[in-house]
Amino acid sequence: MRDETIGAIAASLPGADRVFREFGLNFCCEGKLLLAEAAARRALSVEEIEHRLTVCRTVERFSKGTAEQDTGPLIQHIVQRYHRAHRLGFPELARLSRHVEAVHAAHASVPCGLAVTLENAFEALDEHMHDEEQTLFPAMLRRRHGPFVPDLIAVLTHEHLGVGSLLQRLRFMTNAFTPPPDACRSWRLLYSGLAALVDDLQDHVHLENNVLFPRFVAV
């Protein structure tokens, strides 16, 4: 298993994504790394990760997973589940962050600049999703495999690297989404919402990079 890419493992093995999150492995943006390489980068025991993945394999669900869906339903799932959630979640969390930053400006742990980070990230992400919805996804659904499709996939995959940088920055700014002991309800809601947003972003990029895009790059 150590000679397989973490993206392929996450795409084929139910529960692997949870294991990778626990170990801090970026299976979405760094999905092309071999498991052994990904573990070495973080000075982790590849044997321990393999053991956890083996446990996942023994309890693997037999229902049809998202990775096995036809292209049409998969695209529909990405747009309805993730694009819609991001367009609702980012602005709401940015507003909540502005409130927390203003009310607790004097607190040593206040996430200064978090609202601006979320607003800038959403501006870029919304443009990215628009390109997918208006250009790439319709071409995929029409089965037009012209050279522009792999070229556009290459551009969008490169843009996904920015998601990985954003996730690292959000974790750093929020102490891994851990509010201080005296945090108010709004602060706690902000961090729990950010943690859920990060999970969604990882799953979203994973489905595109490791499941949907390879179907067309191969062509």
Side-chain angles (χ1 to χ4, degrees):
M1 200 177 300
R2 66 186 63 192
D3 294 326
E4 298 178 56
T5 66
I6 56 176
I9 295 172
S12 62
L13 181 60
D17 57 334
R18 292 192 299 274
V19 174
F20 291 151
R21 285 194 180 98
E22 290 174 16
F23 283 96
L25 298 179
N26 188 353
F27 62 93
C28 57
C29 301
E30 298 179 353
K32 293 185 178 181
L33 286 177
L34 299 179
L35 176 58
E37 295 173 332
R41 285 193 176 190
R42 289 189 168 270
L44 299 171
S45 168
V46 69
E47 290 81 7
E48 183 178 356
I49 300 172
E50 284 182 318
H51 172 71
R52 293 291 304 281
L53 293 172
T54 300
V55 172
C56 287
R57 183 161 286 170
T58 61
V59 296
E60 183 175 347
R61 297 186 300 271
F62 292 97
S63 59
K64 185 176 181 181
T66 306
E68 297 174 313
Q69 288 183 0
D70 291 336
T71 296
L74 179 57
I75 288 175
Q76 185 178 28
H77 172 73
I78 289 172
V79 172
Q80 293 183 350
R81 170 63 182 84
Y82 296 108
H83 287 199
R84 182 177 298 177
H86 298 334
R87 289 186 171 116
L88 292 173
F90 267 90
E92 181 58 33
L93 289 171
R95 285 192 292 269
L96 187 56
S97 182
R98 285 202 175 278
H99 169 75
V100 170
E101 291 178 61
V103 172
H104 301 283
H107 198 292
S109 299
V110 70
C112 294
L114 178 59
V116 173
T117 297
L118 290 171
E119 289 164 355
N120 291 341
F122 177 62
E123 182 177 354
L125 180 62
D126 194 38
E127 182 177 349
H128 175 94
M129 294 187 297
H130 182 269
D131 288 342
E132 291 181 335
E133 293 168 0
Q134 299 301 315
T135 305
L136 180 62
F137 290 167
M140 288 177 167
L141 293 173
R142 291 193 300 268
R143 296 291 177 180
R144 292 184 179 176
H145 298 145
F148 87 93
V149 171
D151 289 346
L152 183 53
I153 286 175
V155 171
L156 295 173
T157 301
H158 180 73
E159 290 178 359
H160 283 165
L161 296 176
V163 173
S165 299
L166 172 64
L167 302 187
Q168 292 179 353
R169 186 173 183 184
L170 291 178
R171 289 192 178 97
F172 175 78
M173 296 179 74
T174 62
N175 189 28
F177 313 114
T178 305
D182 58 342
C184 67
R185 182 172 180 272
S186 294
W187 201 335
R188 295 181 184 278
L189 284 174
L190 171 63
Y191 280 14
S192 64
L194 284 172
L197 178 73
V198 163
D199 282 349
D200 274 358
L201 279 170
Q202 285 186 301
D203 290 341
H204 176 192
V205 173
H206 161 64
L207 281 179
E208 292 186 350
N209 278 2
N210 303 319
V211 180
L212 177 62
F213 290 175
R215 299 179 183 183
F216 293 87
V217 172
V219 174

